[in-house]
Amino acid sequence: MPLIPIPHSKPAIKPGDIKRVSQILQSGLIAQGRNVLDFEEKISRYFQVKGAVATNSGTSALHLALLALDIGPGDEVIIPSFVCSALLNPIAYVGAKPRIADVNPDDFNISISDIKKKLSRKTKAIIVPHMFGCPAEIRSILRLGVPVIEDCAQSIGADYEGKKAGSFGLLSICSFYATKVMTTGEGGMVLSNQKKLLDKIRDLRAYDNAIDYKIRHNYKMTDFQAGLGLSQLAHLPEFIRRRKDIAGRFHREFADLAFDIPHVRSPRDHIYFRYVIKLRQGQKEWMKKLNHKGIQAVPPVFKPLHQYVRQMSCPVSDELMNQCVSIPIYPNLTDKQVQYMVGCIRESFKSG
Ligand SMILES: *Cc1c(COP(=O)(O)O)cnc(C)c1O
């Protein structure tokens, strides 16, 4: 059996991306400049929101979003348990307290009924990540009347009711980390329809040229990163098409196997940032089996957040930790690699 190493994730960098970045490097104007402005403008147009502010990461975008809402000590922010620890840090930066809500067993997104249990007079915001590329039930969450920060780090391009997920919340953030839907190496963005919030975020992003003194940050994106972002954004529709094609193939090939495949309901559109399956048993052994075949399969979340901060148990999240496996899916997987994955995965179920 030939060993085809298929990493779990991988960026899709095109020759045009490299050309664009080197042109900007050669120009000598590499700090935040007109490419960043252009990238902000194009992203806000893509999401159909009033404005966007580019940052150097999704984490700093979340930090600025919390600061824009004046969240600080004594305040609480609700976040889901089944997500990476990137959500805990910005809440700690501002001195607020995270309240961890459980997730839904079918779409892995934050559970509305559990949000309701975690709401208090101190709740100042809910951060809602659209997990693995599938929009959360944002409409019902908005109805709770608490400011919502949509986290689109995994869902750029996913639609909800025919509009972009990320255009519903008071604020939204993106991440352009190397292995996200589209990349600038490291990078992020805050989106909003409220000019006042965007102005505040722009002010807090950089320390220079301010007439007063207060704590500001250096969260700026460079112009060559923005150049990469612009070039990647042009490829985004094709990236998403390819992700959906591969997911479609997986759906068909895996329909009869003994695990649950990702499951979406209209009006939500899944862009398959991750293809997360739910095994009924033997998760660890199965991952090992695939890894032996050169296919890097991993748990989709490293550790559920309630376990880090020792909050009340989130039973669904705990169960998902023992069942879920994320298998490679990204635009530059070749048909041959997809075929190889399908073969190995079908085979692994035949042999028990
Ligand atoms: C990756 C990620 C982040 C953090 O983004 P960085 O750019 O790595 O700081 C935040 N939220 C979610 C849901 C993510 O997947």
Side-chain angles (χ1 to χ4, degrees):
M1 177 66 68
L3 203 67
I4 306 178
I6 303 178
H8 179 252
S9 51
K10 195 173 165 186
I13 302 296
K14 306 269 189 178
D17 296 344
I18 294 168
K19 197 167 151 208
R20 185 141 190 178
V21 172
S22 31
Q23 278 168 349
I24 296 167
L25 288 174
Q26 278 161 11
S27 77
L29 299 169
I30 63 171
Q32 179 181 286
R34 67 181 178 82
N35 283 284
V36 170
L37 278 175
D38 194 11
F39 187 39
E40 290 173 340
E41 154 97 37
K42 296 236 161 64
I43 286 282
S44 61
R45 211 179 304 155
Y46 183 80
F47 278 88
Q48 294 281 298
V49 294
K50 268 227 180 78
V53 183
T55 61
N56 59 357
S57 73
T59 301
S60 52
L62 277 172
H63 185 194
L64 292 176
L66 295 173
L67 290 172
L69 297 177
D70 292 318
I71 294 172
D75 297 333
E76 294 181 357
V77 178
I78 297 179
I79 56 175
S81 50
F82 200 59
V83 66
C84 57
S85 57
L87 268 67
L88 280 178
N89 293 318
I91 299 172
Y93 298 165
V94 300
K97 191 180 165 215
R99 289 300 307 270
I100 318 274
D102 209 350
V103 297
N104 303 318
D106 52 355
D107 68 1
F108 314 126
N109 279 310
I110 192 164
S111 147
I112 298 169
S113 58
D114 211 41
I115 291 178
K116 286 181 182 160
K117 289 182 200 153
K118 307 290 153 78
L119 279 172
S120 80
R121 273 180 299 116
K122 296 179 181 168
T123 310
K124 288 290 149 57
I126 308 171
I127 302 177
V128 181
H130 302 296
M131 288 310 292
F132 311 129
C134 176
E137 286 289 8
I138 196 73
R139 188 63 76 193
S140 336
I141 297 171
L142 288 171
R143 254 184 241 124
L144 299 170
V146 178
V148 168
I149 301 170
E150 284 182 86
D151 180 339
C152 304
Q154 308 193 351
S155 67
I156 298 179
D159 287 340
Y160 180 91
E161 294 176 351
K163 285 170 57 180
K164 291 282 165 259
S167 63
F168 293 86
L170 186 55
L171 291 153
S172 298
I173 71 101
C174 299
S175 164
F176 308 114
Y177 175 67
T179 54
K180 298 284 160 101
V181 182
M182 52 174 276
T183 185
T184 62
E186 295 274 6
M189 192 79 78
V190 190
L191 319 174
S192 182
N193 282 312
Q194 297 213 3
K195 186 174 177 299
K196 240 170 86 181
L197 293 175
L198 292 165
D199 287 346
K200 201 162 160 189
I201 288 165
R202 222 167 258 126
D203 175 57
L204 291 169
R205 172 178 58 173
Y207 54 77
D208 225 0
N209 304 320
I211 45 171
D212 58 337
Y213 178 75
K214 64 175 177 222
I215 295 178
R216 290 184 173 83
H217 302 274
N218 183 356
Y219 282 169
K220 301 188 300 296
M221 179 181 276
T222 65
D223 240 31
F224 56 96
Q225 287 175 301
L228 179 55
L230 283 162
S231 183
Q232 288 263 301
L233 183 60
H235 293 299
L236 185 58
E238 152 204 339
F239 287 169
I240 292 174
R241 227 167 18 243
R242 178 70 181 151
R243 284 181 178 279
K244 287 182 175 174
D245 278 353
I246 298 171
R249 174 92 198 272
F250 286 166
H251 291 344
R252 289 192 298 278
E253 299 279 1
F254 301 155
D256 60 328
L257 300 183
F259 57 73
D260 294 331
I261 57 177
H263 141 132
V264 232
R265 277 183 307 255
S266 163
R268 295 184 283 164
D269 158 53
H270 200 318
I271 60 154
Y272 299 100
F273 171 64
R274 295 282 184 245
Y275 196 89
V276 176
I277 65 171
K278 216 158 76 180
L279 293 174
R280 292 169 203 156
Q281 58 190 17
Q283 175 217 42
K284 291 204 172 60
E285 298 72 40
W286 191 71
M287 285 191 290
K288 234 183 250 160
K289 219 188 260 183
L290 285 195
N291 293 342
H292 276 301
K293 301 269 187 190
I295 299 165
Q296 193 185 14
V298 301
V301 163
F302 185 75
K303 184 172 175 168
L305 301 189
H306 64 281
Q307 294 183 11
Y308 280 115
V309 295
R310 299 205 179 83
Q311 281 185 19
M312 266 187 292
S313 82
C314 292
V316 175
S317 196
D318 287 331
E319 194 173 324
L320 292 176
M321 270 319 286
N322 294 320
Q323 294 178 324
C324 287
V325 178
S326 176
I327 61 172
I329 186 166
Y330 38 86
N332 56 1
L333 270 183
T334 64
D335 287 342
K336 230 171 140 176
Q337 287 175 313
V338 172
Q339 178 63 38
Y340 175 76
M341 281 179 63
V342 164
C344 290
I345 289 171
R346 290 197 61 81
E347 178 72 31
S348 73
F349 275 87
K350 259 186 240 147
S351 53

